[in-house]
Amino acid sequence: MPQRFDAEEVVNQSPPYLDVDLYGSDQPLRDAVVANGGGADTAALAEFGRRWGAAEMFDLGRQANENPPRLRTFDAKGFRLDTVEFHPAYHRLMAESTRAGLHASTWRSDLRPAAAPAQVVRAARFYMAAQIETGHLCPITMTRAAVAALAVEPALAERLMPKILSRDYDPHFLPWWEKTAITLGMGMTEKQGGTDVRTNTSRAERHADHYAITGHKWFMSAPMCDAFLVLAQAQGGLTCFLMPRFAPDGAVNALRFQRLKDKLGNRSNASSEVEFAGAFAWRIGEEGRGVRTIISMVQLTRLDCAIASAGIMRMALAQAIHHARHRTVFQKRLADHALMQGVLADMAIEIEAATALVMRLGRAFDLAANNPREAARARLLTPAVKYWVCKTAPGLVYEAMECLGGNGYVEENLLPRLYREAPVNAIWEGSGNVMCLDVLRALANESEAASAVLDTLAREATDLPGSADAARFVRSALTCADAEKDARAAVGRLAQLAAAAALRESAPVIAELFSRTRLHDCHGALFGTGDFAAGEIARVIDRALPAS
Ligand SMILES: Cc1cc2nc3c(=O)[nH]c(=O)nc-3n(C[C@H](O)[C@H](O)[C@H](O)COP(=O)(O)OP(=O)(O)OC[C@H]3O[C@@H](n4cnc5c(N)ncnc54)[C@H](O)[C@@H]3O)c2cc1C
């Protein structure tokens, strides 16, 4: 008899967290969807949650990141290719997300926003997809956001819309009019400035019916998109353009990719450095109004950054709770140790707040077209929500990683990827300070409407512990003469106040706990420092992830 090899028997390890129902197991998400008008889509969201929670989808996410895209600049004979090759898993993820409409379901073919609750329902799907793989969501989010900018050129946009709205995914490198479906990217950042796009040096020379653009972009993600919104200096100043990969005569357009960035995370997504050698482009909007034109797109990508960060945190928390329920230390399951319970509950409350907040913001986008108050809410809160949710993610994912002990630090686990992924949402589409400045800009330029939003939030959160003081601080700090000085503290507080108000609608008990530990008490910098009663802790953790 061969002797049994001891290491074959594995005990006291948690089973894989796979084949999970991402919607059914997420009560905070379900409550937030219903509170914000998406209840009628429950069955479709449940189907999406089961599909994306399948072991196969987790594996696609792994493969797409373990096999990052490769730039093919030239062929064997020295002819330019300027193409990027992706692993089949990336294409599968793109096809899944496109099929579900993540790239366009908030638009109608006439360029008007789809009826409510299109934003909320898409946000729920985007949040679930982000739990599995975020890199491919970059072209998905840019495609849906770009429509907002294209709307100022209806004649061109109407030709593109059928390809944008298509639920196919067509990765072929062909002129857009020969494809069944297209995706759109965006290039604003140059070497000398990303935030300060007015320093863009790319030049646009006017021709009869188009412009020729010469210059570069230092970051231009998803380079296999079919066209890119880019900023360049025309005679009338900084202007927005749409630059297709193929010129209308069918020739490959003059985009010369120099390198792909070697990034900390977001590895399934290609982010290029690119030069334009007189590249063909259509003008989008008037000359000199480039920033104004592209800003409508950026509002939507900022919303998606916050949704994706909330999704990343959700997956990290689910992994942590799952592991803690199966791992025994000192004769007790980790999940039964008071210190661990405090950490898990504190993270769960933070994520539930982030989830309620992004879903409520989605509702503001849903209602904005017909309701000026909701439009003002979306304008003021989008930068605040992006600031707070995206900045919370890295620290929270790190804490969740630690709940898994050494396993959490090991690459076969999902946590290292989530950890590497977490910071980018705070950096791109306007970094932290820039979001704070944008909140101040809204209060300065649209002061009446923005001020009314602060009043509404104070009213909505009324009676929640600490809300009155928080509302007073936010108003005085953000409207004083030297508001920049305290802007980070005040914008973070504004987001927390808005989160309390959102929770009040979707989960009143959690609203109370969140407000007590965040607005009233001084919450420590680390998770696990909130002051909860034992019964509260159990309820919060079970709500976050029911025991299976
Ligand atoms: C993975 C990845 C992919 C990207 N993809 C794209 C893409 O597809 N298209 C694209 O156009 N860009 C892309 N970017 C670029 C990204 O949007 C920029 O890096 C970002 O906007 C910041 O610009 P910057 O790098 O020039 O930094 P800077 O503008 O130099 O900013 C540096 C820091 O200074 C802060 N700061 C700026 N202004 C102020 C101020 N007035 N007061 C106080 N602080 C300030 C910022 O908050 C930031 O923290 C990508 C970036 C990454 C990391």
Side-chain angles (χ1 to χ4, degrees):
M1 269 288 271
Q3 228 183 352
R4 200 160 188 281
F5 179 44
D6 281 344
E8 273 177 21
E9 193 187 356
V10 179
V11 292
N12 199 24
Q13 289 282 4
S14 57
Y17 186 72
L18 300 169
D19 287 323
V20 288
D21 179 346
L22 297 180
Y23 197 64
S25 64
D26 193 341
Q27 184 77 44
L29 172 64
R30 285 186 283 136
D31 287 347
V33 166
V34 170
N36 290 294
D41 289 83
T42 295
L45 290 173
E47 191 196 331
F48 186 91
R50 285 190 295 272
R51 185 174 180 91
W52 277 77
E56 182 196 3
M57 298 301 287
F58 279 87
D59 206 44
L60 289 178
R62 177 189 65 76
Q63 290 182 56
N65 284 275
E66 283 181 4
N67 301 281
R70 289 178 58 191
L71 175 63
R72 299 188 65 216
T73 318
F74 298 100
D75 74 3
K77 307 284 166 58
F79 292 102
R80 288 207 76 103
L81 290 174
D82 292 298
T83 55
V84 178
E85 267 180 1
F86 292 87
H87 189 268
Y90 172 89
H91 292 303
R92 284 278 313 281
L93 289 162
M94 285 294 290
E96 288 282 341
S97 282
T98 309
R99 196 165 66 85
L102 297 188
H103 69 301
S105 62
T106 56
W107 295 108
R108 300 187 335 184
S109 55
D110 63 0
L111 297 163
R112 290 168 57 80
Q119 291 275 0
V120 169
V121 172
R122 174 191 174 273
R125 289 197 173 97
F126 199 79
Y127 171 90
M128 289 187 271
Q131 296 177 41
I132 300 300
E133 211 290 308
T134 34
H136 84 285
L137 293 178
C138 174
I140 293 288
T141 190
M142 289 196 292
T143 302
R144 89 106 178 191
V147 177
L150 290 181
V152 299
E153 294 293 339
L156 173 62
E158 275 163 24
R159 288 165 59 207
L160 299 170
M161 275 315 265
K163 311 273 184 191
I164 295 172
L165 290 178
S166 167
R167 297 289 175 104
D168 283 344
Y169 167 62
D170 184 345
H172 296 104
F173 186 47
L174 289 170
W176 66 266
W177 58 91
E178 291 179 20
K179 296 181 60 164
T180 57
I182 60 174
T183 52
L184 304 174
M186 165 190 54
M188 294 196 280
T189 306
E190 297 188 357
K191 286 178 190 138
Q192 72 286 349
T195 305
D196 193 0
V197 289
R198 289 184 193 280
T199 63
N200 271 197
T201 58
S202 292
R203 283 175 294 107
E205 189 188 319
R206 188 175 193 151
H207 291 253
D209 62 345
H210 72 278
Y211 287 71
I213 298 188
T214 303
H216 83 282
K217 294 295 163 190
W218 182 230
F219 281 91
M220 198 169 85
S221 290
M224 291 308 281
C225 285
D226 298 283
F228 300 87
L229 287 169
V230 297
L231 291 177
Q233 303 288 354
Q235 206 173 12
L238 192 66
T239 305
C240 182
F241 297 91
L242 185 70
M243 183 184 284
R245 283 305 306 272
F246 287 80
D249 64 3
V252 177
N253 202 4
L255 289 80
R256 312 278 186 246
F257 295 112
Q258 308 297 303
R259 281 195 299 187
L260 296 186
K261 301 286 191 190
D262 184 5
K263 296 176 289 186
L264 168 69
N266 199 248
R267 297 186 76 84
S268 67
N269 178 34
S271 298
S272 71
E273 296 168 13
V274 61
E275 291 181 1
F276 308 137
F280 175 99
W282 293 286
R283 194 185 71 217
I284 304 295
E286 291 170 32
E287 281 194 9
R289 293 175 71 84
V291 172
R292 187 169 284 245
T293 304
I294 215 157
I295 206 75
S296 52
M297 166 179 188
V298 176
Q299 280 288 91
L300 290 173
T301 56
R302 287 175 180 169
L303 168 63
D304 278 0
C305 286
I307 301 168
S309 284
I312 288 170
M313 289 192 279
R314 162 72 194 173
M315 177 52 73
L317 173 72
Q319 299 267 350
I321 295 177
H322 172 78
H323 183 76
R325 282 186 177 141
H326 288 90
R327 178 82 165 175
T328 297
V329 177
F330 299 128
Q331 290 88 47
K332 253 190 344 191
R333 292 181 321 151
L334 272 176
D336 296 331
H337 287 268
L339 259 174
M340 181 58 88
Q341 288 174 337
V343 173
L344 295 173
D346 212 12
M347 290 194 296
I349 284 175
E350 193 86 341
I351 297 166
E352 177 144 6
T355 306
L357 187 55
V358 295
M359 293 299 153
R360 178 62 185 89
L361 187 57
R363 179 164 123 222
F365 275 86
D366 261 332
L367 304 178
N370 303 312
N371 183 333
R373 284 197 310 275
E374 291 294 328
R377 189 181 189 114
R379 167 65 191 95
L380 181 72
L381 291 187
T382 300
V385 171
K386 180 185 185 281
Y387 171 77
W388 182 66
V389 176
C390 297
K391 281 211 167 289
T392 300
L396 190 143
V397 175
Y398 149 67
E399 199 63 71
M401 176 190 282
E402 195 172 305
C403 293
L404 277 79
N407 287 353
Y409 197 70
V410 171
E411 282 295 336
E412 283 124 332
N413 209 295
L414 190 53
L415 268 302
R417 171 146 64 85
L418 296 176
Y419 183 65
R420 285 196 302 269
E421 201 64 42
V424 76
N425 283 324
I427 292 175
W428 63 15
E429 303 304 309
S431 311
N433 290 350
V434 178
M435 291 302 88
C436 294
L437 293 173
D438 198 38
V439 171
L440 296 182
R441 196 172 305 116
L443 277 158
N445 297 349
E446 296 140 67
S447 60
E448 210 175 305
S451 176
V453 176
L454 296 184
D455 288 342
T456 306
L457 289 176
R459 222 174 23 251
E460 289 173 353
T462 218
D463 295 339
L464 288 174
S467 67
D469 281 348
R472 264 193 298 277
F473 166 68
V474 167
R475 181 179 289 283
S476 69
L478 291 178
T479 54
C480 69
D482 54 351
E484 259 191 51
K485 192 170 62 63
D486 287 332
R488 276 194 170 222
V491 170
R493 215 60 174 159
L494 169 61
Q496 287 177 321
L497 183 65
L503 281 170
R504 185 168 214 162
E505 284 191 79
S506 61
V509 174
I510 304 295
E512 187 76 22
L513 290 180
F514 178 80
S515 303
R516 198 182 77 213
T517 53
R518 269 69 177 173
L519 297 180
H520 184 269
D521 298 352
C522 187
H523 191 274
L526 303 177
F527 291 101
T529 55
D531 184 13
F532 304 106
E536 292 171 341
I537 285 183
R539 187 180 323 155
V540 167
I541 297 174
D542 286 344
R543 184 176 158 76
L545 191 74
S548 51

